[in-house]
Amino acid sequence: MVDFDELVEKVITGEIKLHQVERYTNGDKRLATEIRRRALEKKFGVSLENIGHYSIDPERVIGKNIENMIGVVQIPMGVAGPLKINGEYAKGEFYIPLATTEGALVASVNRGCSALTAAGGVKTTIIDDKMTRAPLLKCPDARRAREVAEWVKANIEYLQEKAVSKVTRHGKLRDVKPHIVGNNLYLRFEFETGDAMGMNMVTISSEEIMKVIEEEFPDVKYLALSGNLCVDKKPNAMNFINGRGKTVIAEAIIPREIVEKKLKTTPELIAEVNYRKNLVGSAQAGSYGFNAHFANIVGAIFLATGQDEAQITEGSHGITLAEVTPEGDLYISVTMPSLEIGTVGGGTRVPTQREALSIMGVAGGGEPPGTNARKFAEIIAGAVLAGELSLLAAIAAKHLAKAHAELGR
């Protein structure tokens, strides 16, 4: 019989560590969650009542998505749309779930969706699709590093059979981009990962590849599974230029009449604001984000759908372009080089996040594998375009401060 109060006291005194509570609840993860939360309440004299209200089942997420669970943080979720997308994978009208505490964000994206849909929709194009991992090898010298790199490049299929296929049925090694610095060899492996974002898959696969390389080259030392050229969860030029995850472009031509009627400005003003703000201003700032606010939309969608929130960093990389067409209409596009997303695995298994994915018809795996994740990438890019269009229009029309005063305060 579990004595709740006794266990709470032992957690408070440190006799039972936070990660050990399940051992004393006969594996009951919900009870362990309550004990940890109650211990914090008593220790610090606070109420965690709202953190303790949730629908997520601790039995399903502890050990897979979270450790030392005490409850949940709830973020309001809104929806923007419909947004018409004319993509290679996403076709039709979509509603986009956005989890945020920033007033005016959902309204702004919604306005952009309205303008883009009225203009005939967004055209989306997947340019590339890969997940990378870049292990670090220490070689005797640069020449040996080059020899190893050349051998790896010539043996992609062998490494797939000998290493990758041993640990995954879904991952495929498609290429490697070596980088040599002194006697250091960084092997930036590129994998296909189906509908998974794929970090776990490529990490485990890369570990197996390192074993094969060390057997082939005994004088080479495997030092680190990640040599920081992957590049994961950090602002960087590598992903900005070469891409990671999905590289996707969303674009649209918006007739002048719609710009003037729905967005209360002109194509010329939007194009000029974009040039002077997003391009010149971002260059002066040394930014990897030549855009107005990719991160706002990417972040809200990531939180809603169970993506890795740290990868909002790379998701915010990208370029917004706007120009006036010969006919006097507005051409606008967003180029997103590093959108690291999935529809299976990780946080997508959490019931609330899976439900958010289902709103867009992308929950779970696609047929053939990879199609759901690509569809999801196109939807995100379309939503980002809507957000960029609306914000640029608000700035051009001098409406930004007014919108935030009305909706964000």
Side-chain angles (χ1 to χ4, degrees), residues 59-287:
E59 300 291 339
R60 295 180 62 177
V61 297
I62 292 177
K64 294 185 177 70
N65 303 101
I66 192 68
E67 301 80 37
N68 298 349
M69 183 173 172
I70 64 168
V72 302
V73 168
Q74 299 180 78
I75 303 173
M77 186 187 301
V79 66
L83 173 62
K84 184 178 181 182
I85 298 179
N86 307 309
E88 297 171 292
Y89 300 91
K91 303 176 189 292
E93 292 191 345
F94 297 89
Y95 288 84
I96 301 102
L98 301 158
T100 181
T101 56
E102 181 182 346
L105 177 60
V106 176
S108 178
V109 176
N110 199 64
R111 183 174 77 139
C113 290
S114 175
L116 288 167
T117 299
V122 180
K123 184 178 183 179
T124 53
T125 305
I126 300 286
I127 304 298
D128 199 5
D129 182 1
K130 60 177 180 285
M131 182 46 63
T132 62
R133 182 52 98 192
L136 164 61
L137 294 160
K138 180 182 178 182
C139 303
D141 53 35
R143 192 165 299 172
R144 187 58 162 166
R146 185 182 67 186
E147 291 172 359
V148 176
E150 290 174 346
W151 182 87
V152 172
K153 286 194 292 183
N155 285 277
I156 295 297
E157 292 185 7
Y158 172 73
L159 291 171
Q160 170 68 31
E161 179 183 351
K162 185 78 172 176
V164 179
S165 62
K166 287 173 58 177
V167 294
T168 176
R169 293 180 292 110
H170 305 289
K172 181 179 180 183
L173 177 64
R174 73 173 203 187
D175 203 358
V176 63
K177 299 293 192 302
H179 297 265
I180 300 172
V181 181
N183 62 346
N184 298 296
L185 172 60
Y186 303 85
L187 294 169
R188 192 173 191 255
F189 292 113
E190 300 178 356
F191 294 84
E192 296 175 6
T193 60
D195 287 301
M197 182 270 284
M199 274 306 305
N200 288 340
M201 189 187 303
V202 305
T203 296
I204 295 167
S205 296
S206 295
E207 178 83 26
E208 289 299 313
I209 292 172
M210 290 300 99
K211 294 176 185 177
V212 175
I213 292 175
E214 283 194 307
E215 288 178 7
E216 190 73 23
F217 300 94
D219 59 338
V220 170
K221 185 178 180 181
Y222 160 45
L223 279 183
L225 188 53
S226 171
N228 265 16
L229 262 75
C230 307
V231 177
D232 194 34
K233 304 175 184 178
K234 291 169 279 291
N236 66 92
M238 177 68 73
N239 293 1
F240 189 88
I241 296 167
N242 295 315
R244 188 173 193 249
K246 275 63 174 171
T247 298
V248 58
I249 295 172
E251 56 191 339
I253 293 177
I254 306 167
R256 175 178 292 273
E257 179 183 355
I258 291 175
V259 175
E260 293 175 348
K261 182 178 180 180
K262 285 186 172 289
L263 302 175
K264 313 303 181 186
T265 185
T266 66
E268 288 81 5
L269 271 174
I270 289 178
E272 183 171 11
V273 168
N274 185 72
Y275 166 68
R276 298 185 185 278
K277 168 186 166 63
N278 286 343
L279 304 185
V280 178
S282 297
Q284 179 67 14
S287 175

Side-chain angles (χ1 to χ4, degrees), residues 291-364:
N291 59 72
H293 67 150
F294 279 21
N296 252 340
I297 298 90
V298 171
I301 296 174
F302 271 35
L303 292 174
T305 61
Q307 309 306 306
D308 190 326
E309 64 273 9
Q311 290 175 330
I312 297 168
T313 303
E314 300 98 290
S316 70
H317 291 174
I319 301 171
T320 298
L321 295 180
E323 59 188 61
V324 181
T325 69
E327 295 76 23
D329 300 323
L330 175 68
Y331 168 84
I332 186 167
S333 70
V334 294
T335 299
M336 307 184 72
S338 188
L339 193 55
E340 298 148 323
I341 53 96
T343 60
V344 298
T348 68
R349 293 179 295 220
V350 179
T352 47
Q353 280 78 346
R354 188 176 179 86
E355 287 175 9
L357 286 167
S358 72
I359 293 171
M360 297 173 284
V362 294

